[in-house]
Amino acid sequence: MPEGEESVAFTQSALPALVPQQAGGAGKGVPTADAPVLSEGFELPARTEAVARARACVEERVESWGLPEELGYTAQLVISEFFTNAVVHTDSGRVLCCLQIRGDRLRIEVADEGTERLTPQLRRPGVDELGGRGLQLVGAVACEWGVVAGGGAGRIVWAELDSAPERTAEGDRG
């Protein structure tokens, strides 16, 4: 392992779900308690060089769960955006990530230690601007995404991706 790189272990108990679960799915984007869940998490330092490690962790987990390769690519895009935003736009020391399979959805959650008053915002960057399109990409590939308070300092940004490979953008025609 290169100097300065930390090993990352997935854990089922440390980060089972960052967003509290509510039976009945009363809130938009809140997982329900009625579907079986696969859930694992990891924690990395809030440094730009850790973004690649976060992508690798997601790739490893998606592959080990036997999910479609294309879903893995999409999940890596989402984790890159969320993790990068946590590093660039907050004063976090650590970033917590959780992956869940619930029914036919892969849920990705990223928690930072920043201030709650700074909420990720969709931007409309100009043609010549290099940044500002990440959350638009997430919105284009995710079934749903959002932000919730982190239960102290920080916030949790989450996205849900359709994990059923036979689904299309227009839905399952059965």
Side-chain angles (χ1 to χ4, degrees):
M1 180 177 313
E3 185 177 322
E5 185 175 315
E6 298 181 30
S7 67
V8 176
F10 281 97
T11 172
Q12 291 182 325
S13 58
L15 300 169
L18 301 171
V19 176
Q21 298 183 25
Q22 297 176 1
K28 183 175 182 182
V30 177
T32 61
D34 54 358
V37 175
L38 288 174
S39 180
E40 296 196 61
F42 58 93
E43 179 179 342
L44 291 168
R47 298 192 311 248
T48 54
E49 56 271 14
V51 177
R53 183 68 184 124
R55 279 193 307 271
C57 288
V58 169
E59 178 184 31
E60 175 185 323
R61 188 53 46 217
V62 167
E63 185 177 301
S64 75
W65 283 344
L67 298 173
E69 186 176 23
E70 189 64 34
L71 176 63
Y73 297 143
T74 304
Q76 288 176 65
L77 176 123
V78 171
I79 202 78
S80 281
E81 175 57 25
F82 288 172
F83 199 100
T84 299
N85 282 353
V87 171
V88 172
H89 299 293
T90 74
D91 56 355
S92 300
R94 308 285 296 169
V95 178
L96 306 174
C97 304
C98 182
L99 304 174
Q100 286 186 341
I101 287 289
R102 182 177 294 275
D104 64 354
R105 296 247 175 124
L106 171 64
R107 184 178 177 96
I108 300 165
E109 299 175 355
V110 175
D112 63 48
E113 301 169 323
T115 59
E116 286 183 38
R117 61 185 168 77
L118 296 176
T119 304
Q121 302 287 323
L122 278 175
R123 292 184 48 213
R124 303 271 184 241
V127 176
D128 296 332
E129 289 184 68
L130 296 177
R133 292 173 182 82
L135 292 177
Q136 290 179 9
L137 287 171
V138 170
V141 300
C143 300
E144 295 183 79
W145 75 275
V147 183
V148 294
R155 83 220 28 86
I156 299 163
V157 184
W158 59 268
E160 291 186 355
L161 307 175
D162 191 345
S163 64
E166 67 278 354
R167 295 205 185 237
T168 66
E170 296 176 24
D172 187 1
R173 296 179 188 252

